[in-house]
Amino acid sequence: MDCWSSSFAVVDEFEKLVLRMNPPRVTVDNTSNRKATLIKVDSANKRGSLLELVQVLNDLDLIIRRAYISSDGEWFMDVFHVTDQNGNKLSEDDVSERIQQSLGPRARSFRSLRRSVGVQAALEHTTIELTGRDRPGLLSEVFAVLSDLKCNVMGAEVWTHNSRMASVVYITSEATGLPIDDPDTLAKIKRLLLYVLKGDRDKRSANTAVSVDSTHKERRLHQMMYADRDYDMNYAESGSASGRSKPLVTVESCTDKGYTVVNLRCPDRPKLLFDAVCTLTDMQYVVYHATVIAESPEAYQEYYIRHVDGNPISSEAERQRVINCLEAAIKRRTSEVKTREPLLFLF
């Protein structure tokens, strides 16, 4: 092990020790606000804590009406005003426990990046990841290949944006009902699906990979489309959805404090905060302070960020890239096609 790897390992172990000594403290307050439940979280700080926390709130199907975030230093303190899907305060007793478990030292990290076409064996199914040029009939061709290979499609989630498509598909063996882990079968699935994805018009080459990671599927879809550069309007084709109204995103310098300030305004919708934080995290930025207000049809978000090396944004090209990536992240989900139940396809 070289010196750099050794130093990184020591820092990582120290971070784990700090988290064990200072587990997250979660307070659920149903009395301070008439319209919303306040969830207050404070803990030792580590990179990715904000994203993990927002993901937990999303997985609990909570709507974030307001948020006040501060993580400048070794500690983070966040306050979220949340309701259920019907706009009511929370009545569940396990919210605090579930958040603490998700942020504790044994929680799984979401810090992984996989490639364009991957196959991952899980406990209940094998997960196939796909990215490519969006076109009519693409999914029918994908499912036809899987059917010919005697695969059961258990479910799928698909996002499309700027003429690109990203999808995760969950399959099992038709013969056994179990995940597919045979290397020859996986290699054949990847080879045939890569052929389908490329078609005769895809301008960009695709890669295949077998992954062992277990990233949350919505985080993974963001990563896949970001890696596929769906934010780059140079790749947009005529007739694509790129002409839709854009969210208002500005990126400015806060010279006296050494931050870059990102402001975002757009129509409010569920999971908007997650999409923005996910994008900033994957672009290697750290959110030090943030304010979120989403109590009307329009949502407002303000972030004080720096790059992971501690520096603010320093070039016009980088500033424009952040704007483009946040716009893409917001628009991906508005054009998504989701299927959460088991699927039945007739070919």
Side-chain angles (χ1 to χ4, degrees):
M1 180 182 294
D2 58 31
C3 293
W4 185 89
S5 299
S6 178
S7 298
F8 181 83
V10 170
V11 172
D12 187 57
E13 288 303 316
F14 178 75
E15 181 182 82
K16 292 178 181 178
L17 175 63
V18 172
L19 289 172
R20 284 195 296 268
M21 295 176 63
N22 301 278
R25 293 193 292 271
V26 181
T27 303
V28 179
D29 178 2
N30 250 331
T31 61
S32 297
N33 189 287
R34 183 170 55 88
K35 296 182 179 180
T37 298
L38 272 59
I39 296 179
K40 304 175 184 179
V41 182
D42 61 281
S43 174
N45 196 15
K46 68 181 178 72
R47 185 165 177 264
S49 293
L50 175 60
L51 177 58
E52 293 177 10
L53 175 54
V54 172
Q55 181 63 69
V56 171
L57 299 180
N58 283 344
D59 288 344
L60 290 170
D61 291 326
L62 303 180
I63 303 297
I64 299 173
R65 305 296 181 183
R66 283 178 176 260
Y68 303 97
I69 294 158
S70 179
S71 60
D72 199 345
E74 300 301 321
W75 204 259
F76 79 81
M77 299 180 65
D78 301 338
V79 179
F80 297 89
H81 296 222
V82 304
T83 66
D84 63 19
Q85 294 287 322
N86 297 318
N88 301 316
K89 289 185 175 184
L90 308 184
S91 58
E92 299 150 345
D93 297 328
D94 64 339
V95 173
S96 175
E97 181 180 355
R98 291 184 64 178
I99 295 175
Q100 287 174 326
Q101 290 176 347
S102 298
L103 295 180
R106 294 184 181 180
R108 285 188 298 184
S109 174
F110 297 143
R111 306 172 192 168
S112 62
L113 183 62
R114 293 176 286 181
R115 300 181 184 176
S116 295
V117 182
V119 180
Q120 172 202 353
L123 292 177
E124 299 84 10
H125 52 250
T126 298
T127 301
I128 303 174
E129 299 178 352
L130 311 169
T131 59
R133 187 187 65 83
D134 187 29
R135 56 181 170 84
L138 176 59
L139 285 181
S140 293
E141 294 178 30
V142 168
F143 295 135
V145 169
L146 294 175
S147 178
D148 288 343
L149 293 172
K150 307 300 181 184
C151 301
N152 284 326
V153 177
M154 308 302 294
E157 185 150 355
V158 183
W159 286 3
T160 62
H161 175 249
N162 197 11
S163 300
R164 306 303 297 176
M165 179 277 298
S167 175
V168 287
V169 183
Y170 309 108
I171 65 171
T172 59
S173 167
E174 185 179 284
T176 66
L178 299 174
I180 300 172
D181 55 8
D182 175 64
D184 292 336
T185 302
L186 294 177
K188 187 174 184 180
I189 290 173
K190 291 192 296 175
R191 184 176 69 254
L192 294 178
L193 289 181
L194 184 60
Y195 178 79
V196 169
L197 289 172
K198 285 186 175 181
D200 59 358
R201 292 182 57 199
D202 199 341
K203 298 176 182 177
R204 284 172 271 177
S205 60
N207 295 318
T208 64
V210 177
S211 174
V212 296
D213 293 319
S214 55
T215 306
H216 190 281
K217 69 176 182 302
E218 294 180 357
R219 170 79 185 279
R220 186 64 195 129
L221 284 165
H222 275 303
Q223 290 178 332
M224 292 162 64
M225 298 204 82
Y226 174 68
D228 198 43
R229 297 177 63 87
D230 73 310
Y231 58 86
D232 192 339
M233 297 308 297
N234 292 325
Y235 290 115
E237 300 178 10
S238 59
S240 72
S242 59
R244 294 174 182 170
S245 59
K246 293 183 178 181
L248 177 59
V249 181
T250 62
V251 178
E252 301 173 345
S253 297
C254 180
T255 308
D256 57 332
K257 299 294 185 181
Y259 295 113
T260 296
V261 183
V262 178
N263 282 282
L264 185 159
R265 289 183 182 271
C266 66
D268 188 29
R269 61 164 174 79
K271 302 185 180 181
L272 180 62
L273 176 59
F274 168 77
D275 294 339
V277 172
C278 180
T279 299
L280 292 172
T281 302
D282 284 339
M283 293 184 72
Q284 304 298 304
Y285 294 106
V286 177
V287 176
Y288 288 86
H289 303 281
T291 300
V292 176
I293 301 174
E295 296 179 329
S296 66
E298 184 179 63
Y300 167 78
Q301 299 179 6
E302 181 180 61
Y303 300 94
Y304 286 75
I305 67 170
R306 294 185 185 128
H307 197 267
V308 291
D309 62 10
N311 294 318
I313 292 176
S314 58
S315 71
E316 175 60 25
E318 185 181 5
R319 187 188 73 85
Q320 189 59 50
R321 185 163 171 263
V322 170
I323 292 174
N324 292 344
C325 288
L326 284 172
E327 289 177 351
I330 294 167
K331 294 168 68 175
R332 285 170 196 152
R333 197 185 293 272
T334 60
S335 59
E336 71 178 282
V337 178
K338 297 199 295 184
T339 307
R340 297 188 181 274
E341 300 299 324
L343 303 179
L344 174 64
F345 295 95
L346 303 177
F347 301 103

